[in-house]
Amino acid sequence: MIKIENLKKQFGETIACDIPSFTINDGDILGLVGNNGAGKTTLFRLLLDLLQADEGAVFYSFRRTSIDESALTNINPAESEAWKNEVGSYIDDGFLIDFLTPEEYFAFLGKISGMTQAEVDQRLEAFERFAGGEIFGQKKLIRNLSAGNKQKVGIISALLRKPKTVILDEPFNFLDPTSQLVLKHLITDYAKETGATIIISSHNLQHTVDISTRIALLEHGQIIRDLPNDEGSATAELQEYFGAE
């Protein structure tokens, strides 16, 4: 669960985030939508402690039997690093270590997370279809991959450790149509398997509606609508907002 309380961020005269109160529940697949400048990436950076809020805070609360729940109640990422092993994220290729091959990068992530190489290799098997024969075994440095394949590496890295919360900013960017469809199944299957809370932003409204259980519509840093999305029920309201015929 993620709780946002009185969260504010401003750049000069521009209000990038102004959210009095918002809760993202365990198991939600939350689609974050809005036009350019709505504040989606700013919100993600605040959730990941990559930006310092002007006011307010974010709190993570995880439910796992393998750890002491009481120690992980209301973790403010700006004040503690106890959340980091439970959150997987990918915002852009600045998250990658581009002088490594994908295999070296995944091995590194596994090592710092306490996984054996055998465990890493086993988990990577689940991403073979998504990788599409273009990531594994190519002996290419990440910096030499196409934009789409860098995107795949980033998404795989976010899911590799099976985190309880996943944050993906524009995950469908740079991907070909086949990879986009595979990614939709990958995200929904991951949610069913793990019960994770997943937050994505995307300019692809249809993909977002297809996979999200809930839609948050941002405008000028504010969440102006919080829409349930059972079987795509948010579609009509979103189309009206974005001016679709």
Side-chain angles (χ1 to χ4, degrees):
M1 180 184 294
I2 302 173
K3 294 183 179 180
I4 296 171
E5 296 182 1
N6 192 36
L7 190 64
K8 295 183 180 181
K9 184 65 182 179
Q10 191 164 337
F11 300 102
E13 298 299 316
T14 302
I15 298 174
C17 183
D18 183 7
I19 303 175
S21 179
F22 192 69
T23 299
I24 305 167
N25 298 308
D26 291 340
D28 278 351
I29 304 178
L30 178 71
L32 205 60
V33 300
N35 289 316
N36 289 337
K40 302 184 295 296
T41 299
T42 296
L43 176 56
F44 279 169
R45 292 187 176 277
L46 290 166
L47 290 174
L48 296 170
D49 192 35
L50 299 174
L51 276 177
Q52 182 177 358
D54 296 329
E55 296 182 31
V58 172
F59 297 98
Y60 287 98
S61 180
F62 303 102
R63 295 180 182 177
R64 291 185 70 173
T65 57
S66 60
I67 53 179
D68 180 2
E69 281 192 31
S70 64
L72 288 178
T73 300
N74 293 333
I75 302 171
N76 182 341
E79 298 177 350
S80 169
E81 295 190 352
W83 59 281
K84 288 189 173 181
N85 285 335
E86 308 298 332
V87 178
S89 62
Y90 184 67
I91 292 181
D92 56 44
D93 61 13
F95 276 44
L96 305 176
I97 303 176
D98 67 359
F99 57 81
L100 300 177
T101 66
E103 287 91 344
E104 289 170 340
Y105 181 54
F106 298 138
F108 169 76
L109 293 177
K111 185 175 182 179
I112 64 175
S113 303
M115 297 167 60
T116 66
Q117 187 59 50
E119 289 173 325
V120 172
D121 293 341
Q122 182 180 31
R123 292 194 182 182
L124 288 176
E125 291 176 2
F127 302 104
E128 286 281 0
R129 186 180 176 206
F130 181 54
E134 298 178 323
I135 302 296
F136 306 131
Q138 300 304 300
K139 298 182 180 179
K140 285 186 179 180
L141 301 181
I142 292 173
R143 65 169 61 133
N144 295 328
L145 297 177
S146 67
N149 286 332
K150 288 179 182 177
Q151 188 82 343
K152 290 180 181 181
V153 171
I155 293 167
I156 293 170
S157 70
L159 300 175
L160 181 65
R161 296 174 294 121
K162 293 190 176 180
K164 296 299 290 181
T165 298
V166 178
I167 297 173
L168 300 173
D169 193 10
E170 297 290 351
F172 300 103
N173 274 5
F174 311 118
L175 299 182
D176 60 49
T178 297
S179 297
Q180 290 181 25
L181 292 175
V182 172
L183 177 58
K184 287 166 63 174
H185 289 292
L186 184 64
I187 290 173
T188 54
D189 289 348
Y190 182 86
K192 290 176 183 177
E193 176 190 350
T194 66
T197 301
I198 299 175
I199 314 169
I200 68 163
S201 76
S202 179
H203 284 117
N204 190 312
L205 198 59
Q206 188 59 58
H207 286 342
T208 305
V209 169
D210 285 347
I211 66 175
S212 300
T213 60
R214 182 179 173 195
I215 304 285
L217 177 56
L218 268 73
E219 184 178 282
H220 303 305
Q222 297 180 321
I223 296 176
I224 61 170
R225 300 182 196 177
D226 179 10
L227 306 173
N229 189 45
D230 299 327
E231 298 184 357
S233 59
T235 301
E237 190 165 345
L238 291 173
Q239 288 180 339
E240 180 181 1
Y241 175 82
F242 289 108
E245 293 292 335

